[in-house]
Amino acid sequence: MVRFVPALLALSATAWAAQSCSASSQCPEDKPCCSQYGECGTGAFCLGGCDVQGSFSTDSCAPMPICESKSYTWDNLDNAALNTKYLGNASATDWTYSGFPKVTDGNLELHMPKNTVGTLFANNHYIWYGKVSAKIKSSRGAGVVTAFILLSDVKDEIDYEFVGADLTAVQTNYYWQGVPDLDGDGMQERHANQETGHNSANATVNGEDTYSDWHTYEIDWQPEQLQWIVDGKVTRTLTKAQTYNETSKTPSRMQLSLWPAGQASNAEGTIAWAGGEINWDSEDIKKQGYYSATFGQIDVQCYDPPSGVSTSGNDSYIYTSDTGLQSDVAITGNSTVLGSMGATGLDPTLGAHSSSASSTSSSNDTMPTGGSGGAGAMGSGHSSSSSSSSSSSSSSDDSGSSTTSAAASASTTAGTNSAPGQERVLQGSLFAVLVAVVALVMQ
Ligand SMILES: *[C@@H]1O[C@H](CO)[C@@H](O)[C@H](O)[C@H]1NC(C)=O
Ligand SMILES: *[C@@H]1O[C@H](CO)[C@@H](O)[C@H](O)[C@H]1NC(C)=O
Ligand SMILES: *[C@@H]1O[C@H](CO)[C@@H](O)[C@H](O)[C@H]1NC(C)=O
Ligand SMILES: *[C@@H]1O[C@H](CO)[C@@H](O)[C@H](O)[C@H]1NC(C)=O
Ligand SMILES: *[C@@H]1O[C@H](CO)[C@@H](O)[C@H](O)[C@H]1NC(C)=O
Ligand SMILES: *[C@@H]1O[C@H](CO)[C@@H](O)[C@H](O)[C@H]1NC(C)=O
């Protein structure tokens, strides 16, 4: 299910006249990266979610960190960074987030406090075929959606979505190069090519329910076949032929999220899909102050990349053209790391060691340094095309209080320097300010 969050998109246009981008309207060279939410920029815009089709050129987005087989358990959040801090080094930081994640009793909780857009927790390593597995207790309540997905930068998507109004089943969906919302109802049109017209199916979850009980949800993603497996039982299999070759084909990131699909400002269709408008005075909100989804151990097992892929290193995937097809992805030794929030795939080391970059990006904690590795942070998780990721454009827990100082530091810095590179570093930081502003307005 795909949805837009019009309110956020409109808001971002007002708060900061970001240039929008799409496959038919690419970004300009000075802000070459098209974020997951269709806006041009540098830095975080060029990391996770950067859309090669809307970007200035195929090498504008930073190379994508290669798959790493790994198990994640939750003793702390040391391997996670706020979306305003991550600069592409997935070896140092496995996850990027926005919103309100918390580790409790060895589990990762994603929270959605009253009137917020929830939490997005995105893995920074891309997977190009593999199996992912997560122990999950979903959140609950009308309009509350918990998601566990694989999403590529050209919006191929495979997901599990838990609609809080129905705790007996989980939805399984896939999208191929996510189709935009054509009729304005906030929902993705069915892909004309699909055999059945259904990219969505419900998987019944045996046992009590998805909220009270732990269940293990797996996605086994192979070039020829895609399977959703719940508690070890295959609940859905799609072969390449059944989908007119339109199962996901491009390197994808695993994302966990909790988001308010039933937020009153969302499109009617989205709210209906989510089981109705969200109740911000529910039992969970009254009792604990937030909705919450819980994730236990998460495992990623990488499979071999497609045979015949062009390989010149071990570090990253890159697109070699903007078709967004499997055949146009290569494996390289190119670095995935950006020097600053002003850097891009075209000039990755910009600001890396200059004093200006460090003063902008690291000496002041209140100074956000850019957007998200997560889902672009700009919109709400669901860009026009992808469905479930999440909406989190909220910034961290401290977003409310840091908004003012962030804006203030941005303007202070603006007044004191004029180097061209610096200007780009600044634009990157404005992105973060915007994220903070959006979070504030949402509340
Ligand atoms: C990868 O690195 C090569 C050699 O440094 C460079 O020519 C190429 O543009 C890079 N590609 C991308 C997508 O960054
Ligand atoms: C990325 O992080 C790792 C681990 O902290 C570190 O060894 C490596 O030098 C970093 N790479 C870059 C390019 O900063
Ligand atoms: C999944 O179940 C919900 C009700 O819980 C229903 O509204 C929806 O149509 C079902 N989806 C499919 C694809 O069967
Ligand atoms: C699917 O891919 C195969 C092999 O690339 C091709 O022969 C076939 O025509 C494709 N089918 C569709 C419906 O596009
Ligand atoms: C990939 O890394 C392995 C060791 O980790 C190395 O032996 C191999 O040569 C590398 N391959 C390429 C193409 O760089
Ligand atoms: C924050 O930035 C200001 C202005 O650049 C600087 O004077 C101040 O020392 C910085 N604070 C810290 C803690 O680095």
Side-chain angles (χ1 to χ4, degrees):
M1 169 122 225
V2 170
R3 16 193 126 92
F4 247 128
V5 179
L8 287 179
L9 296 178
L11 183 64
S12 62
T14 324
W16 176 39
Q19 183 164 346
S20 61
C21 46
S22 66
S24 57
S25 167
Q26 280 85 20
C27 291
E29 190 167 8
D30 63 331
K31 286 194 262 174
C33 298
C34 187
S35 78
Q36 181 174 346
Y37 304 105
E39 295 193 321
C40 302
T42 64
F45 286 70
C46 306
L47 298 173
C50 181
D51 179 358
V52 66
Q53 297 177 322
S55 294
F56 174 71
S57 58
T58 48
D59 49 359
S60 299
C61 299
M64 303 168 265
I66 202 169
C67 193
E68 201 171 299
S69 293
K70 208 162 175 173
S71 287
Y72 299 97
T73 53
W74 309 103
D75 293 325
N76 52 53
L77 287 177
D78 289 355
N79 60 347
L82 186 58
N83 61 0
T84 55
K85 308 277 185 196
Y86 176 70
L87 280 173
N89 191 344
S91 311
T93 309
D94 291 311
W95 302 87
T96 296
Y97 67 88
S98 60
F100 315 89
K102 191 178 176 220
V103 165
T104 305
D105 299 333
N107 296 311
L108 171 69
E109 291 182 358
L110 303 189
H111 292 176
M112 180 161 65
K114 187 169 182 171
N115 296 325
T116 68
V117 293
T119 299
L120 171 63
F121 208 81
N123 197 270
N124 294 326
H125 304 275
Y126 284 71
I127 296 168
W128 203 19
Y129 297 109
K131 187 173 189 176
V132 296
S133 161
K135 278 183 66 192
I136 303 173
K137 280 184 179 177
S138 75
S139 191
R140 61 175 173 182
V144 176
V145 173
T146 306
F148 174 51
I149 79 172
L150 292 176
L151 178 64
S152 89
D153 292 355
V154 295
K155 303 188 173 66
D156 287 343
E157 174 174 341
I158 304 168
D159 71 40
Y160 279 106
E161 293 199 82
F162 303 82
V163 175
D166 177 6
L167 303 177
T168 64
V170 58
Q171 294 194 7
T172 62
N173 308 285
Y174 74 94
Y175 302 90
W176 180 79
Q177 294 200 3
V179 178
D181 175 23
L182 300 178
D183 59 9
D185 67 357
M187 300 172 72
Q188 181 195 42
E189 263 55 62
R190 280 180 178 172
H191 206 284
N193 275 350
Q194 282 165 4
E195 190 168 55
T196 60
H198 297 296
N199 54 355
S200 188
N202 289 329
T204 304
V205 177
N206 294 325
E208 302 305 298
D209 63 42
T210 62
Y211 168 82
S212 310
D213 299 331
W214 286 113
H215 292 281
T216 301
Y217 301 89
E218 294 173 88
I219 295 171
D220 189 347
W221 179 38
Q222 303 182 24
E224 301 297 324
Q225 176 180 286
L226 169 60
Q227 288 187 317
W228 284 263
I229 302 164
V230 179
D231 294 328
K233 184 167 162 261
V234 175
T235 64
R236 187 180 185 193
T237 300
L238 280 177
T239 61
K240 197 165 138 183
Q242 277 171 326
T243 63
Y244 280 75
N245 296 340
E246 293 189 354
T247 46
S248 295
K249 297 210 189 63
T250 48
S252 299
R253 286 181 309 143
M254 176 170 58
Q255 304 191 11
L256 326 174
S257 63
L258 177 62
W259 63 288
Q263 180 172 272
S265 58
N266 283 354
E268 229 175 273
T270 304
I271 296 173
W273 167 78
E277 246 182 69
I278 197 165
N279 176 6
W280 290 118
D281 292 309
S282 65
E283 187 191 330
D284 285 351
I285 292 284
K286 282 195 180 126
K287 210 172 86 202
Q288 54 194 23
Y290 49 80
Y291 285 106
S292 181
T294 312
F295 292 79
Q297 180 167 328
I298 295 177
D299 297 306
V300 175
Q301 181 192 347
C302 305
Y303 291 159
D304 286 343
S307 54
V309 60
S310 151
T311 304
S312 57
N314 271 334
D315 300 310
S316 54
Y317 305 118
I318 63 169
Y319 284 100
T320 55
S321 88
D322 63 4
T323 59
L325 298 176
Q326 172 175 294
S327 52
D328 294 313
V329 176
I331 303 178
T332 74
N334 289 29
S335 169
T336 63
V337 181
L338 296 179
S340 70
M341 282 296 165
T344 71
L346 302 171
D347 190 1
T349 57
L350 177 72
H353 301 295
S354 74
S355 56
S356 58
S358 58
S359 73
T360 309
S361 61
S362 54
S363 57
N364 268 296
D365 280 342
T366 52
M367 179 67 195
T369 52
S372 99
M378 180 70 87
S380 56
H382 276 284
S383 57
S384 47
S385 50
S386 56
S387 55
S388 18
S389 343
S390 112
S391 28
S392 307
S393 50
S394 67
S395 70
S396 63
D397 294 293
D398 60 5
S399 64
S401 55
S402 67
T403 300
T404 315
S405 51
S409 353
S411 56
T412 305
T413 318
T416 57
N417 68 67
S418 51
Q422 189 68 12
E423 200 180 311
R424 278 168 51 181
V425 172
L426 238 132
Q427 285 164 354
S429 67
L430 284 174
F431 172 73
V433 171
L434 170 63
V435 168
V437 169
V438 170
L440 197 67
V441 174
M442 293 292 302
Q443 284 161 22

